[in-house]
Amino acid sequence: MKTLVIAEHNGENLSAATLSVVDAAKKLGRDIDLLVASNSASNVLKEAKAVEGVSTVLDFSDEKFANEIAEDLAACIVSVRENYDFFLASSSTSGKNNLPRAAALLDIQQISEVTEIIDDKTFKKPIYAGSCIATVQSSQEKNALTIRTTSFEKTGASGGSAKIETKDVPDTVSRKSGFVKNELTVSDRPELTAADIIVSGGRGMQNGENFALLEAVATKLNAAVGASRAAVDSGFVPNDYQVGQTGKSVAPNLYIAVGISGAIQHLAGMKDSKTIVAINKDEEAPIFKVADYGLVADLFEALPDLESKL
Amino acid sequence: MKILIPIKRVNDYNVKVRPNQTNTDVDLSNVKMAMNPFCEIAVEEAIRLKEAGKAEEIVVVTIGDDKHQEQLRTALALGADRALLVKTDNVLQPLDIAKTLAKVFEKESADLIIMGKVGIDGDNNQTGQMFAALTNLPQVTFASEVEINGNSVHVTREIDGGLETLTAEMPAVITTDLRLNEPRYASLPNIMKAKRKPLEELSLEELGINIETKITTLKVESPPERQEGVKVETVDQLVDKLRNEAKVI
């Protein structure tokens, strides 16, 4: 039996998350196939073929994959179920949306947000916003896992030479949902979940304009900009900046938390960062309990100072 | 239009949950319980649709022991019309929850099923998608805006990278994200009134559900503790530490 990894892409490039999922898949000790559902995404297929460790790329091509609809993707996964005893996707919004639908159709109890693969039946995953780590064992013949990408390395993006297998696209004309539009945040910074350094702002930033102070520091460090839920709810920055239990999980080399108190829900998304810096004027703020370096200071003085010294 | 809202009883979100002494499970013995925050948002959305004249009836459902009546009563006090408790002492995993809800849906039917995107206890984010699969209904997950348009629903979703809008023909399944709305509080008169609203009990047996334990928890531990850090006095010291000690910049 083999492992099927559901590839993520934006129509042009394979996402870095997919490389982490392939790394996780390697720990299961089976041949790895990559499922690519796309509309004529020749470059995605080229990149998929080159991923180190992948045997076969399953190419599902159809206009309907221009936008990803869970019903369509789940049908693709189900159509190739016989050859696989593992189905893996990243725990991005895409993987979270699609894989449980496929798992239910295959009568599989999925395991979400896997952070460690102990053996092919035993896995670790955080529960209760990361307050506890559960070790779970599956008695199922087939398993579906979403992978917390920050807990795994990225497998090589080149050097592989998988063969491409063209698959028949399942008919889902009767599906009852459809794409209308998307509004994506345009940014020239590194992607939040893939960045080496992240500078995040919280309620202490006071407004959206003040995020310019953070961005100036981020520019010097080639860092991504993140935010706490408070900053997002107050409308300072868009939702997809949010780090935490309900936002993105990140684990960069350096995480600089500015004006963030450090609620459990925020810590859930960043406490596996290698080095954590907190800048906060409240010296009692819980963020200092997890920070390697804490600076008790007014961020409006500290940020420009920091920028000038980098 | 009828709306079905599955809700979940979980720990209060402010409580930090710890493993029990034998590391076999979490210790919830003295933990304050509440309705899952994402489920509160689902209830609120349904009430708003009813207030806007788009929905006639709101039915809430949960699965669990007698204590789960508390969360059903909370939903009734907020504005739900009827409640269903599928009674069991077992703790069900998402696939079994989805199967149970699919049976409830067969019995009750509904035009819209709104539920939280994730329980803050298991952090699974599966039930809505699984329920939609089992009932062969369209799914729109992580909703931050819901608009009813005749026989279909327009939903803005929160995705990595921004927002996406999908349309789905009803009946449809929507899972809620935090930014969908700001849930209201129940008033005392409404809490009193909720006590007289119908709360029907069902059993897993009469729904024909056999629970299958497909995943067993072997161990529950605290995550590794981080070393206590140091406080620096100045930005200069901070930059020096990051450059020369942590070597991260």
Side-chain angles (χ1 to χ4, degrees):
Chain A
M1 286 299 228
K2 300 191 280 184
T3 296
L4 184 67
V5 170
I6 318 305
E8 280 175 25
H9 62 86
N10 60 2
E12 283 293 320
N13 300 103
L14 203 62
S15 87
T18 302
L19 300 176
S20 302
V21 181
V22 172
D23 181 66
K26 284 181 178 171
K27 302 188 175 7
L28 296 165
R30 289 152 168 79
D31 279 356
I32 300 166
D33 288 0
L34 204 52
L35 184 158
V36 178
S38 67
N39 69 326
S40 65
S42 54
N43 190 55
V44 176
L45 285 172
K46 210 172 93 194
E47 289 186 12
K49 217 174 119 95
V51 174
E52 188 207 316
V54 174
S55 310
T56 307
V57 174
L58 309 187
D59 168 20
F60 287 86
S61 285
D62 194 282
E63 274 310 306
K64 69 181 175 185
F65 298 124
N67 299 102
E68 190 183 277
I69 301 285
E71 289 87 319
D72 295 338
L73 195 61
C76 292
I77 299 170
V78 170
S79 75
V80 295
R81 65 185 178 280
E82 283 92 3
N83 302 326
Y84 302 96
D85 60 354
F86 274 99
F87 303 87
L88 269 59
S90 97
S91 58
S92 62
T93 48
S94 163
K96 283 175 176 162
N97 185 41
N98 299 316
L99 198 60
R101 185 161 183 121
L105 296 173
L106 298 172
D107 199 31
I108 297 173
Q109 174 54 65
Q110 178 185 300
I111 304 171
S112 296
E113 306 265 351
V114 170
T115 52
E116 197 181 325
I117 293 174
I118 298 171
D119 59 44
D120 66 2
K121 294 284 168 214
T122 325
F123 313 94
K124 284 194 182 187
K125 66 161 305 234
I127 52 173
Y128 293 87
S131 301
C132 297
I133 308 293
T135 305
V136 298
Q137 192 170 57
S138 169
S139 57
Q140 305 176 109
E141 273 173 32
K142 289 179 189 273
N143 285 285
L145 317 176
T146 59
I147 300 297
R148 185 170 281 199
T149 51
T150 52
S151 302
F152 293 86
E153 303 294 323
K154 285 183 185 58
T155 210
S158 61
S161 55
K163 61 175 191 291
I164 293 193
E165 209 174 286
T166 307
K167 304 302 282 186
D168 291 334
V169 175
D171 176 12
T172 47
V173 279
S174 62
R175 83 159 131 79
K176 301 282 173 47
S177 61
F179 175 81
V180 179
K181 60 170 181 177
N182 56 26
E183 301 150 68
L184 302 178
T185 307
V186 182
S187 167
D188 46 13
R189 295 186 189 287
E191 194 206 340
L192 197 52
T193 51
D196 259 349
I197 301 179
I198 295 173
V199 187
S200 266
R203 197 195 305 277
M205 297 304 297
Q206 292 181 6
N207 59 46
E209 287 74 55
N210 289 337
F211 261 74
L213 298 170
L214 272 187
E215 280 159 13
V217 172
T219 302
K220 283 275 178 80
L221 293 167
N222 189 31
V225 175
S228 69
R229 186 184 161 198
V232 171
D233 283 352
S234 308
F236 301 172
V237 287
N239 304 340
D240 54 309
Y241 280 51
Q242 189 182 325
V243 171
Q245 186 185 21
T246 54
K248 292 183 172 122
S249 287
V250 298
N253 274 326
L254 174 60
Y255 188 91
I256 305 179
V258 185
I260 292 176
S261 64
I264 306 172
Q265 292 78 10
H266 186 73
L267 299 182
M270 48 64 80
K271 68 181 166 47
D272 295 327
S273 305
K274 193 165 155 249
T275 300
I276 298 174
V277 169
I279 302 176
N280 205 301
K281 64 181 176 192
D282 172 14
E283 62 180 308
E284 302 297 321
I287 191 78
F288 286 118
K289 296 232 167 30
V290 299
D292 299 281
Y293 303 109
L295 175 65
V296 181
D298 184 341
L299 66 92
F300 295 104
E301 287 162 22
L303 281 177
D305 196 10
L306 181 59
E307 192 222 337
S308 71
K309 280 160 184 159
L310 288 170
Chain B
M1 183 172 84
K2 178 167 160 182
I3 306 179
L4 183 65
I5 319 267
I7 62 167
K8 191 173 191 191
R9 172 184 168 93
V10 299
N11 59 298
D12 183 288
Y13 73 96
N14 286 309
V15 179
K16 191 177 157 92
V17 173
R18 293 188 164 78
N20 65 12
Q21 287 200 330
T22 51
N23 282 109
T24 47
D25 205 344
V26 291
D27 183 5
L28 292 177
S29 50
N30 288 309
V31 169
K32 187 181 166 203
M33 302 297 278
M35 197 194 307
N36 183 42
F38 292 95
C39 304
E40 287 185 337
I41 292 169
V43 172
E44 175 67 30
E45 196 62 19
I47 297 165
R48 290 184 189 192
L49 288 171
K50 194 178 172 188
E51 286 171 346
K54 309 253 183 197
E56 284 82 45
E57 192 184 22
I58 303 170
V59 181
V60 283
V61 55
T62 195
I63 306 163
D65 62 17
D66 277 331
K67 289 180 183 155
H68 288 66
Q69 290 194 16
E70 289 170 30
Q71 279 64 47
L72 290 174
R73 291 288 174 205
T74 303
L76 292 171
L78 288 167
D81 298 293
R82 284 194 294 127
L84 302 170
L85 172 63
V86 182
K87 246 183 97 169
T88 174
D89 289 331
N90 295 294
V91 177
L92 272 58
Q93 290 170 348
L95 183 60
D96 283 328
I97 295 173
K99 286 178 180 174
T100 307
L101 294 175
K103 291 290 183 187
V104 171
F105 177 71
E106 239 173 63
K107 247 173 78 75
E108 281 285 334
S109 82
D111 304 287
L112 212 49
I113 299 86
I114 311 181
M115 59 178 108
K117 73 166 180 180
V118 62
I120 61 162
D121 49 357
D123 288 340
N124 288 310
N125 202 325
Q126 297 175 12
T127 305
Q129 296 86 315
M130 288 183 153
F131 170 80
L134 298 173
T135 49
N136 197 24
L137 294 180
Q139 71 183 52
V140 205
T141 52
F142 326 144
S144 59
E145 212 181 307
V146 171
E147 197 189 308
I148 307 286
N149 268 332
N151 192 35
S152 66
V153 59
H154 249 62
V155 181
T156 304
R157 312 175 56 223
E158 295 199 7
I159 58 169
D160 295 335
L163 300 171
E164 174 184 83
T165 307
L166 298 184
T167 178
E169 228 173 84
M170 294 196 279
V173 181
I174 296 172
T175 74
T176 61
D177 218 314
L178 278 174
R179 269 164 289 275
L180 181 56
N181 60 49
E182 188 89 31
R184 69 193 68 190
Y185 293 99
S187 67
L188 189 59
N190 284 342
I191 293 171
M192 300 308 289
K193 257 189 260 169
K195 290 182 178 164
R196 294 191 300 273
K197 286 187 179 176
L199 192 160
E200 186 191 340
E201 287 187 4
L202 302 163
S203 69
L204 290 174
E205 294 71 42
E206 68 189 274
L207 294 172
I209 298 291
N210 285 317
I211 305 169
E212 295 173 75
T213 308
K214 297 181 164 190
I215 308 287
T216 320
T217 301
L218 300 181
K219 197 161 63 179
V220 174
E221 310 159 276
S222 293
E225 291 279 325
R226 285 190 78 96
Q227 295 281 328
E228 175 99 34
V230 294
K231 291 248 171 77
V232 295
E233 298 296 324
T234 63
V235 168
D236 286 303
Q237 280 178 24
L238 178 63
V239 173
D240 175 63
K241 294 271 191 198
L242 292 178
R243 276 213 176 105
N244 303 315
E245 199 175 88
K247 297 187 169 50
V248 284
I249 58 171

